[in-house]
């Protein structure tokens, strides 16, 4: 990942979201300054990755669907922005290994547990991959919620929650049930952040 290009892209998108979407960022102070972190966020638009990445003070690495890396110019740009490919619909061992390496190096990984964009804006069913990566990579999990919709000159808000305490699941052999429990907790926290925004839309 090119730090210079990342800084340039982040500055561009911060200006873009400020001008066209009046963006608001809440809870940024809840993100750990160091160590590996998994940001788990809802997914409502193709603009979610740049919104999430530009909102944070730490660089964020994203899994991106493999098809995007077949587009020459786009592939070059997203690679420079720190993205790496993943085959959707399968247990992509190479992508998982890359994600674990990112966490072990104390970096930030951005994940959308639903795996695809929600057409209704409501939370969809999440996959357990993000939970497995977070536990295996010993990363802190920070839930995040993007409150849209993305409409020009109307506010888009991103809210970061507190890191989740998953200590009871660490250091053990995980089952499909325990991974689902962790995933449900993560999605429950995201839903709570969305509800918080509904109660306080200011």
């Amino acid at each position: 990942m090119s730090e210079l290009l990342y800084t340039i892209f982040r500055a561009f998108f911060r200006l873009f979201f400020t001008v066209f979407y009046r963006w608001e960022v809440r809870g940024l102070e809840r993100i750990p300054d160091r160590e590996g972190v998994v940001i788990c966020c809802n997914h409502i638009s193709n603009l979610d990755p740049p919104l999430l990445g530009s909102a944070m003070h730490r660089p964020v690495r994203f899994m991106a669907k493999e098809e995007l890396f077949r587009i020459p110019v786009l592939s070059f740009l997203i690679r420079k922005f720190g993205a790496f490919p993943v085959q959707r619909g399968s247990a992509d061992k190479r992508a998982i290994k890359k994600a674990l390496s990112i966490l072990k190096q104390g970096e930030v990984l951005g994940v959308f547990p639903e795996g695809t964009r929600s057409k209704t804006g409501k939370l969809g069913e999440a996959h357990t991959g993000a939970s497995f990566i977070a536990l295996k990579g010993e990363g802190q999990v920070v839930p995040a919620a993007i409150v849209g919709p993305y409409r020009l000159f109307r506010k888009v808000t991103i809210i970061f929650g507190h890191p989740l305490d998953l200590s009871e699941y660490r250091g053990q052999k995980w089952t499909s049930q325990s991974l689902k429990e962790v995933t449900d907790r993560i999605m429950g926290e995201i839903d709570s952040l969305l509800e918080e925004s509904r109660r306080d839309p200011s």
Side-chain angles (χ1 to χ4, degrees):
M1 178 173 60
S2 168
E3 292 186 12
L4 177 59
L5 277 179
Y6 190 96
T7 301
I8 293 172
F9 286 168
R10 183 167 56 186
F12 167 79
F13 279 114
R14 283 179 175 176
L15 178 62
F16 172 80
F17 288 118
T18 298
V19 173
F20 293 106
Y21 293 101
R22 299 171 48 218
W23 76 332
E24 178 184 7
V25 182
R26 304 182 191 174
L28 195 59
E29 72 283 353
R30 297 168 177 170
I31 301 171
D33 291 326
R34 296 179 177 82
E35 70 188 290
V37 176
V38 182
I39 305 292
C40 292
C41 189
N42 62 318
H43 197 10
I44 60 175
S45 168
N46 286 329
L47 290 173
D48 292 342
L51 179 81
L52 182 58
S54 56
M56 293 184 53
H57 54 281
R58 297 180 62 184
V60 186
R61 308 288 301 275
F62 289 99
M63 287 184 177
K65 59 183 181 181
E66 187 181 43
E67 294 83 351
L68 296 178
F69 292 85
R70 299 171 187 162
I71 305 172
V73 176
L74 180 61
S75 175
F76 171 79
L77 292 175
I78 61 179
R79 285 183 188 277
K80 292 299 182 181
F81 202 52
F84 59 97
V86 60
Q87 292 181 353
R88 297 191 300 177
S90 65
D92 188 338
K93 293 182 179 180
R94 183 173 59 179
I96 292 174
K97 184 177 180 180
K98 179 65 175 179
L100 293 174
S101 174
I102 288 170
L103 294 179
K104 291 294 186 181
Q105 293 174 42
E107 299 182 60
V108 180
L109 177 70
V111 178
F112 301 101
E114 295 160 283
T116 188
R117 286 169 291 149
S118 168
K119 296 180 180 179
T120 64
K122 297 181 179 179
L123 285 178
E125 185 175 353
H127 303 286
T128 59
S131 299
F132 173 79
I133 290 170
L135 293 172
K136 180 73 172 178
E138 300 180 349
Q140 290 262 31
V141 176
V142 174
I146 295 174
V147 184
Y150 288 86
R151 292 179 182 166
L152 286 177
F153 308 114
R154 293 186 61 177
K155 185 166 71 174
V156 171
T157 303
I158 179 166
I159 309 171
F160 295 99
H162 293 282
L164 301 183
D165 180 8
L166 301 177
S167 56
E168 63 183 291
Y169 296 98
R170 300 191 187 277
Q172 61 173 268
K173 185 176 181 180
W174 308 296
T175 64
S176 57
Q177 179 59 35
S178 60
L179 289 175
K180 184 179 185 306
E181 289 175 5
V182 174
T183 302
D184 288 344
R185 283 188 58 182
I186 292 171
M187 299 307 289
E189 288 297 320
I190 295 174
D191 191 46
S192 294
L193 293 174
L194 291 170
E195 182 60 33
E196 172 188 320
S197 176
R198 298 185 192 105
R199 294 194 304 266
D200 181 20
S202 59

